[in-house]
Amino acid sequence: MFESELAKALSDAQLTAEEIECALEAPKDAKLADISLPCFKFSRTLRLPPPVIAQNLKERVEGLDFVERAEVVGGYLNIFFDKQTVAKLALAAADTPVVGTSTEGEGKTICIDYSSVNIAKPFHIGHLSTTVIGGALYRIFKHLGYKVVGINHLGDWGTQFGKLIVATRKWSSLEEVERNDEYFLNSLYVRYHKEAEEHPEMDDEARAWFKRIEDGDKEATKYFDAFKEVTMRAVSKVYDRLKITFDSYAGESFYNDKMTPCLDILKDKGLLKESDGAMVVELDEYGMPPCLLVKADGATLYATRDIAAAYFRKQTYDFFKCLYVVAYQQNLHFKQLFKVLELMDFAGAKDMEHIAFGMVSMEDGAMSTRNGRVIWLKEVLDRAVEKAKSIIENKNPNIKDKDKIAESVGVGAVVFSALWNNRIKDIVFSYDKVLNFDGETAPYVQYTYARCASALRKSGEANFEDGDISSITDAEGYEVVKSVVTFGESVRLAAKLREPCYVSRHIVDLAGKFNRFYIDHRIIVDDKDVRSARLKLTLAVKNTLRTGLNLLGIDALEEM
Ligand code: ARG
């Protein structure tokens, strides 16, 4: 909140608010300033030495009502906030259960395409990031007043269906598949691949079956529906645990009848070229290989469906932005897709964004699917919950609802691990690391939250309404106050950069600051005014931590 206000106040013809906001930083030592503006970067544009720039900006900063004073130190402008104003804002966080909302998104719709699992293929650890990053962005944008449409662009089209029909008919039956779970379905798939190596004619059979699905053949469709049903049943259970919801499950098959008009536009614009019987859009002018849209046998592709989906979404939702939360391995696909849409003069072309992220691998070196060993997401969650349970049993053997708490802690830990870093970073997953109650983890934040709850309960005081946060002037307390107040700013930044880690980092930081305060200053003291003020601040922290956890899709627990 202060960052953007400062940036607005300091910007002028030569320096944009954006540049200033980017430059603002927390000082190394909190005693030096509340926030600091290094002016070195502006020297070139303004043709002035940094200290002179800082001096020129000083007066303007001091005119702001939330600024107490500013100091020029070398090339830095060090800014101190007015403690009363800051305290007043922190008070607001104590008075509302949901902190840091805004209306910036009013009237704007954001489509988020995330998770987008493949039917009849395992829901594995590789899907963790898209699912939880997408889910977090979904809630973060809603928090800021956007209308959000969560889309699961199911991978429900392709030759894997033909293969599965062949496998089912050879070694099982429709009834058995329907009765069983996703593991059973997967075992058929694995067996198919093994045997098809020696019997390549199976692939012809599979293709023929897939053709029958394409042609709407009744029997083939029955299989198709059963596979989809089994997968969706399994996937939904995981979504429930991860608190993930969607507004649309329009997947690849949904676009079967919606591609022709798009191909017509491409033809009309002379963009579609024939190449060995296939239809492509040439992109060498833009340094990319051609985008293949129709195969020689007439089959359409992943990209063709994505073009149709883009048109459908624009028409249906009139989106302001359309985000695709998909691994960086698909960078080229999205670059091609967006370029083709631009060449088609598609109205939403400039509002499409690929929100890329890195890979997740397991600490023990195990990887997903590649070498055949699948690490199911469900199993990672189960194992984390199991471990969480034994930790809780050790720490707090008498606590009620152990299973429920273990579920929240274990799942929360896994979710958080995918939201802690900048998206693009590859992650090495370690159970011990994500479940460390004293690290940069969900359990650490949850534990701090429970500590706030317990302090408020123990006070026995329902009435600290007139607690005056502005009377908290010790350094540790003031750091907590500031962190509460700047939470909304972090949420805004997370949305702007499509980086949920601004929220996860903020709540870990706040938890750390609160714990320092809690250890150095007792909350339940005899002096009524001091006690009320500290309780009030504790409530503000509690509300802020809960808001942050919930935005990430993680439970806040009153006790743990
Ligand atoms: N099902 C795809 C995969 O698992 C991801 C789909 C992403 N969304 C899209 N509109 N292309 O690789």
Side-chain angles (χ1 to χ4, degrees):
M1 150 171 331
F2 295 136
E3 275 96 335
S4 49
E5 300 263 314
L6 279 170
K8 229 187 293 158
L10 293 180
S11 62
D12 55 26
Q14 283 166 303
L15 285 182
T16 67
E18 185 100 24
E19 279 173 291
I20 293 171
E21 195 166 347
C22 280
L24 283 166
E25 61 181 34
K28 296 219 167 47
D29 178 352
K31 280 192 217 75
L32 294 177
D34 287 321
I35 198 162
S36 178
L37 182 68
C39 297
F40 309 95
K41 269 194 222 148
F42 310 144
S43 219
R44 272 261 292 280
T45 337
L46 301 182
R47 294 167 191 281
L48 287 170
V52 175
I53 300 173
Q55 188 62 44
N56 292 347
L57 294 176
K58 178 174 183 292
E59 226 169 85
R60 261 148 77 193
V61 165
E62 285 183 331
L64 296 168
D65 55 359
F66 60 88
V67 171
E68 184 202 77
R69 70 198 156 85
E71 284 170 3
V72 175
V73 181
Y76 289 89
L77 181 62
N78 288 341
I79 302 163
F80 295 86
F81 298 145
D82 175 54
K83 289 198 167 69
Q84 296 288 328
T85 313
V86 178
K88 229 182 263 153
L89 290 165
L91 210 56
D95 291 337
T96 158
V98 182
V99 181
T101 53
S102 112
T103 52
E104 72 165 62
E106 245 167 43
K108 299 191 183 109
T109 298
I110 297 202
C111 289
I112 311 183
D113 177 324
Y114 64 110
S115 198
S116 300
V117 287
N118 297 318
I119 298 295
K121 286 192 189 167
F123 191 14
H124 61 81
I125 179 81
H127 296 110
L128 174 65
S129 298
T130 170
T131 306
V132 303
I133 292 171
L137 291 175
Y138 183 90
R139 284 178 291 260
I140 288 169
F141 279 112
K142 272 210 163 152
H143 198 74
L144 300 177
Y146 292 86
K147 177 165 188 281
V148 192
V149 185
I151 302 171
N152 197 329
H153 185 79
L154 296 174
D156 58 0
W157 205 246
T159 44
Q160 79 261 29
F161 287 95
K163 293 177 182 174
L164 268 174
I165 295 181
V166 172
T168 305
R169 292 170 62 89
K170 262 190 182 350
W171 307 304
S172 176
S173 67
L174 190 61
E175 293 69 38
E176 195 177 25
V177 165
E178 277 171 337
R179 251 196 335 266
N180 276 283
D181 58 13
E182 73 276 25
Y183 298 102
F184 181 75
L185 200 60
N186 190 242
S187 70
L188 288 174
Y189 198 59
V190 170
R191 184 163 171 195
Y192 176 93
H193 279 279
K194 231 184 255 151
E195 305 219 358
E197 266 174 37
E198 278 167 31
H199 301 281
E201 69 279 5
M202 281 168 64
D203 284 340
D204 297 330
E205 223 182 304
R207 256 191 300 275
W209 271 108
F210 183 58
K211 179 85 180 41
R212 284 176 68 175
I213 300 178
E214 285 185 303
D215 295 342
D217 172 89
K218 239 190 175 156
E219 193 176 2
T221 305
K222 246 199 247 158
Y223 284 104
F224 174 84
D225 290 342
F227 300 149
K228 198 160 166 174
E229 156 88 31
V230 170
T231 313
M232 286 318 292
R233 218 190 297 143
V235 166
S236 303
K237 278 190 212 145
V238 177
Y239 286 149
D240 284 348
R241 296 176 78 180
L242 296 173
K243 295 179 187 40
I244 294 292
T245 57
F246 297 94
D247 303 292
S248 159
Y249 283 90
E252 293 191 40
S253 69
F254 178 76
Y255 297 101
N256 278 342
D257 61 355
K258 297 178 180 61
M259 286 172 281
T260 312
C262 298
L263 291 170
D264 288 344
I265 297 176
L266 284 160
K267 273 182 215 145
D268 287 350
K269 293 201 180 283
L271 292 162
L272 213 52
K273 300 269 154 66
E274 209 197 296
S275 161
D276 293 331
M279 301 302 257
V280 304
V281 177
E282 308 270 13
L283 295 171
D284 44 341
E285 211 180 303
Y286 310 99
M288 286 184 268
C291 183
L292 178 58
L293 293 178
V294 186
K295 285 203 243 175
D297 65 3
T300 53
L301 289 102
Y302 182 53
T304 330
R305 287 159 200 281
D306 257 333
I307 292 173
Y311 274 88
F312 178 81
R313 289 171 193 179
K314 186 68 192 169
Q315 197 177 28
T316 311
Y317 308 113
D318 190 25
F319 58 74
F320 162 66
K321 295 286 168 196
C322 181
L323 313 184
Y324 297 82
V325 185
V326 184
Y328 65 63
Q329 280 88 340
Q330 293 193 28
N331 277 357
L332 177 61
H333 166 73
F334 285 104
K335 267 172 74 183
Q336 290 178 310
L337 173 67
F338 298 166
K339 182 50 89 181
V340 171
L341 287 167
E342 184 194 318
L343 295 172
M344 294 170 82
D345 295 320
F346 168 62
K350 60 173 195 329
D351 299 316
M352 319 289 280
E353 281 177 46
H354 176 203
I355 310 300
F357 55 81
M359 289 215 309
V360 181
S361 57
M362 301 301 275
E363 193 179 32
D364 60 10
M367 289 276 298
S368 278
T369 48
R370 277 290 162 76
N371 47 14
R373 197 167 115 50
V374 174
I375 299 157
W376 298 79
L377 185 48
K378 171 179 184 296
E379 269 154 28
V380 175
L381 296 180
D382 286 347
R383 179 112 186 267
V385 170
E386 212 176 279
K387 284 178 178 264
K389 188 157 177 210
S390 76
I391 297 172
I392 292 159
E393 238 142 31
N394 256 324
K395 271 188 184 279
N396 198 348
N398 298 322
I399 196 163
K400 278 190 305 217
D401 290 334
K402 244 179 257 173
D403 286 326
K404 233 176 112 196
I405 293 173
E407 171 76 14
S408 292
V409 172
V411 172
V414 175
V415 169
F416 196 85
S417 72
L419 300 174
W420 173 248
N421 285 310
N422 283 310
R423 281 181 276 109
I424 208 65
K425 232 180 125 177
D426 288 333
I427 304 170
V428 179
F429 184 89
S430 142
Y431 288 101
D432 291 337
K433 229 166 69 200
V434 309
L435 282 166
N436 182 354
F437 278 50
D438 220 2
E440 291 155 340
T441 63
Y444 174 67
V445 180
Q446 286 171 315
Y447 191 70
T448 309
Y449 177 84
R451 174 176 263 178
C452 293
S454 147
L456 292 168
R457 267 196 312 274
K458 277 197 200 122
S459 77
E461 218 151 327
N463 204 348
F464 45 86
E465 234 131 72
D466 46 0
D468 175 15
I469 291 182
S470 66
S471 69
I472 297 176
T473 50
D474 59 87
E476 294 77 20
Y478 183 55
E479 282 305 299
V480 177
V481 171
K482 264 194 304 186
S483 181
V484 164
V485 170
T486 50
F487 174 73
E489 184 80 24
S490 292
V491 178
R492 212 177 56 84
L493 211 58
K496 186 169 155 201
L497 303 174
R498 289 73 161 113
E499 285 280 15
C501 71
Y502 282 93
V503 174
S504 54
R505 303 228 162 206
H506 197 109
I507 55 178
V508 163
D509 184 62
L510 171 58
K513 284 176 173 156
F514 178 77
N515 286 324
R516 235 160 287 141
F517 171 68
Y518 182 89
I519 289 161
D520 287 354
H521 307 272
R522 273 188 313 130
I523 290 182
I524 317 293
V525 289
D526 289 338
D527 184 317
K528 166 126 187 8
D529 291 341
V530 176
R531 189 174 65 232
S532 309
R534 290 184 182 166
L535 283 169
K536 191 95 182 179
L537 179 59
T538 304
L539 180 58
V541 171
K542 183 174 179 252
N543 288 339
T544 308
L545 292 180
R546 184 183 47 241
T547 302
L549 285 168
N550 292 348
L551 282 176
L552 303 178
I554 300 170
D555 288 330
L557 304 161
E558 298 301 310
E559 248 184 302
M560 74 183 258

Tab-separated table of all heavy atoms in Angstrom, residues 55-56 132 221 355 533:
chain	number	residue	atom	x	y	z
A	55	GLN	N	17.812	14.157	-2.440
A	55	GLN	CA	17.474	15.421	-1.761
A	55	GLN	C	16.237	16.063	-2.420
A	55	GLN	O	15.335	16.542	-1.744
A	55	GLN	CB	18.684	16.367	-1.825
A	55	GLN	CG	18.538	17.644	-1.003
A	55	GLN	CD	18.374	17.348	0.491
A	55	GLN	OE1	19.063	16.515	1.052
A	55	GLN	NE2	17.434	18.038	1.140
A	56	ASN	N	16.192	16.016	-3.758
A	56	ASN	CA	15.056	16.609	-4.464
A	56	ASN	C	13.738	15.896	-4.149
A	56	ASN	O	12.683	16.519	-4.116
A	56	ASN	CB	15.286	16.575	-5.982
A	56	ASN	CG	16.405	17.512	-6.397
A	56	ASN	OD1	16.837	18.356	-5.593
A	56	ASN	ND2	16.889	17.355	-7.614
A	132	VAL	N	-1.645	-26.139	-7.872
A	132	VAL	CA	-1.680	-25.234	-6.715
A	132	VAL	C	-1.313	-23.782	-7.071
A	132	VAL	O	-1.842	-22.855	-6.457
A	132	VAL	CB	-0.849	-25.753	-5.511
A	132	VAL	CG1	-1.332	-27.137	-5.097
A	132	VAL	CG2	0.623	-25.751	-5.784
A	221	THR	N	-17.642	-44.958	-27.653
A	221	THR	CA	-17.960	-43.855	-26.752
A	221	THR	C	-18.204	-44.341	-25.325
A	221	THR	O	-17.872	-43.658	-24.360
A	221	THR	CB	-19.194	-43.089	-27.266
A	221	THR	OG1	-18.927	-42.687	-28.608
A	221	THR	CG2	-19.486	-41.870	-26.428
A	355	ILE	N	1.876	-18.749	-18.044
A	355	ILE	CA	2.445	-18.645	-16.702
A	355	ILE	C	3.247	-19.928	-16.477
A	355	ILE	O	2.723	-20.950	-16.055
A	355	ILE	CB	1.319	-18.516	-15.651
A	355	ILE	CG1	0.320	-17.412	-16.047
A	355	ILE	CG2	1.887	-18.265	-14.261
A	355	ILE	CD1	0.925	-16.034	-16.187
A	533	ALA	N	-3.598	-3.688	23.872
A	533	ALA	CA	-2.924	-3.322	22.621
A	533	ALA	C	-2.269	-4.554	22.008
A	533	ALA	O	-2.371	-4.810	20.805
A	533	ALA	CB	-1.883	-2.240	22.881
